[in-house]
């Protein structure tokens, strides 16, 4: 009769922590499905190609073009589905050899600092000095000519004219009248026979897409905070807003009062006679 542990008790404990944690691609796919978004929606909102999104969700990072681009794609996709990207980046580094150490720039800086500088003639200072001399000569000539003309007129008994202003200094120009913002002018003068839509981003940046009634793309890109775009068509404007909460809309000169949620993707259509959400 044997006293002690049985062979089954001597088996090592299984670490289920790694098995319980989903892969990077699986985590991104689950978060996308939970957010109610398709692969096409993710590609449209992040500008990452559909083929690369499919490959990453299958844990295939070869089409990313390297570790740096793979980390960037993981971070972009994670933010699009409201997922913290840092644990996924750490998991990627652990599975692919870790993040490479940065290269020190000190030796290169020392070499550049020791290298003697070659100094050439300061042509800019010479040109400025020449211009100052020319302007001074012209000004002196004009003042001297004016004084001689005035003395001759008094000697001959002519009465000098009153209220004569001094000659304007060379190079002075009348300030131009401020021009109105072209987007504000487009809204104020919105024609009745067309649809005019202004998209502004006062609360943050957002990806937007605008098409006319023929489906032709008028704009497809990122609208930075503080920027605005104005679109016009004869009958209809179709919009897709990547982050509708950051956007303010004016349609045919009137502000749209819809309460868009931050991070929400909105697809809108506006026609003549709106504001009405299509």
């Amino acid at each position: 009769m044997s006293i002690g542990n049985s062979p089954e008790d001597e088996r090592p404990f299984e670490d289920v922590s790694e098995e319980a944690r989903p892969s990077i691609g699986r985590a991104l796919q689950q978060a996308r499905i939970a957010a109610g978004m398709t692969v096409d929606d993710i590609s449209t909102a992040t500008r990452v190609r559909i083929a690369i999104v499919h490959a990453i969700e299958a844990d295939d990072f070869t089409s990313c073009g390297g570790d740096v681009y793979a980390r960037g794609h993981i971070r972009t996709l994670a933010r699009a589905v409201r997922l913290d990207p840092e644990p996924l980046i750490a998991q990627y580094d652990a599975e692919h050899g870790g993040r490479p150490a940065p290269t020190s720039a000190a030796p290169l800086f020392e070499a550049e600092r020791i290298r003697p500088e070659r100094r050439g003639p300061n042509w800019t200072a010479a040109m400025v000095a020449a211009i100052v001399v020319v302007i001074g000569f012209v000004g002196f000539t004009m003042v001297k000519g004016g004084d001689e003309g005035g003395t001759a007129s008094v000697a001959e008994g002519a009465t000098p004219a009153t209220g004569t202003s001094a000659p304007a200094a060379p190079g002075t120009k009348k300030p131009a009248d401020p021009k109105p913002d072209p987007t504000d002018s487009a809204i104020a003068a919105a024609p009745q026979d067309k649809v005019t839509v202004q998209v502004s981003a006062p609360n943050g940046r957002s990806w937007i897409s605008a098409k006319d009634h023929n489906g032709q793309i008028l704009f497809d890109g990122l609208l930075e905070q503080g920027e605005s775009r104005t679109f016009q068509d004869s009958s209809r404007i179709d919009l897709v807003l990547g982050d509708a909460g950051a956007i303010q809309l004016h349609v045919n000169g009137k502000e749209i009062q819809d309460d868009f949620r931050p991070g929400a993707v909105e697809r809108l259509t506006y026609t003549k006679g709106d504001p009405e959400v299509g």
Side-chain angles (χ1 to χ4, degrees):
M1 181 175 181
S2 174
I3 300 175
N5 296 330
S6 64
E8 295 181 356
D9 295 334
E10 295 177 357
R11 289 180 300 177
F13 290 99
E14 295 182 358
D15 185 6
V16 297
S17 60
E18 293 296 330
E19 297 180 358
R21 181 176 62 180
S23 65
I24 298 173
R26 182 62 177 170
L28 291 173
Q29 185 185 51
Q30 289 176 346
R32 174 180 59 78
I33 294 174
M37 302 178 70
T38 65
V39 174
D40 183 60
D41 293 335
I42 291 293
S43 177
T44 300
T46 63
R47 307 301 295 276
V48 178
R49 290 180 296 170
I50 293 177
I52 295 180
V53 176
H54 279 298
I56 291 177
E57 289 189 354
D59 294 307
D60 180 8
F61 303 98
T62 56
S63 59
C64 294
D67 291 340
V68 175
Y69 295 102
R71 293 186 187 95
H73 289 328
I74 292 172
R75 183 174 283 104
T76 300
L77 296 179
R79 289 173 177 171
V81 297
R82 301 296 187 270
L83 201 62
D84 184 8
E86 297 308 322
L88 299 179
I89 298 297
Q91 183 177 350
Y92 178 87
D93 291 339
E95 295 174 355
H96 294 80
R99 185 183 298 273
T103 303
S104 175
L108 179 60
F109 175 77
E110 292 294 335
E112 291 294 334
R113 186 174 62 180
I114 296 172
R115 181 182 301 171
E117 296 183 0
R118 297 180 60 187
R119 296 183 178 272
N122 194 340
W123 296 110
T124 303
M127 292 179 63
V128 171
I131 292 173
V132 170
V133 171
V134 172
I135 293 176
F137 177 77
V138 173
F140 175 77
T141 303
M142 294 177 62
V143 172
K144 184 177 180 181
D147 291 342
E148 291 177 353
T151 303
S153 299
V154 172
E156 294 173 359
T159 303
T162 59
T164 305
S165 59
T172 58
K173 295 182 179 179
K174 183 180 179 181
D177 296 333
K179 296 182 179 180
D181 189 346
T183 56
D184 294 340
S185 300
I187 291 178
Q192 299 296 325
D193 59 340
K194 294 182 180 180
V195 54
T196 303
V197 177
Q198 184 197 43
V199 185
S200 305
N203 303 320
R205 53 190 242 168
S206 172
W207 173 87
I208 66 170
S209 175
K211 297 181 181 179
D212 62 12
H213 72 283
N214 292 320
Q216 183 176 358
I217 295 177
L218 302 176
F219 179 79
D220 185 14
L222 193 63
L223 196 65
E224 297 289 347
Q225 184 175 3
E227 292 184 345
S228 64
R229 292 269 181 174
T230 301
F231 310 106
Q232 196 172 79
D233 187 68
S234 60
S235 60
R236 188 181 71 192
I237 295 290
D238 295 323
L239 293 177
V240 179
L241 309 179
D243 185 356
I247 295 299
Q248 184 180 38
L249 296 176
H250 287 82
V251 178
N252 297 325
K254 298 180 181 179
E255 182 178 357
I256 300 299
Q257 299 295 334
D258 290 337
D259 187 14
F260 297 127
R261 293 181 294 108
V265 177
E266 295 287 345
R267 291 174 171 82
L268 309 170
T269 298
Y270 294 105
T271 59
K272 297 181 296 183
D274 281 338
E276 290 286 340
V277 178

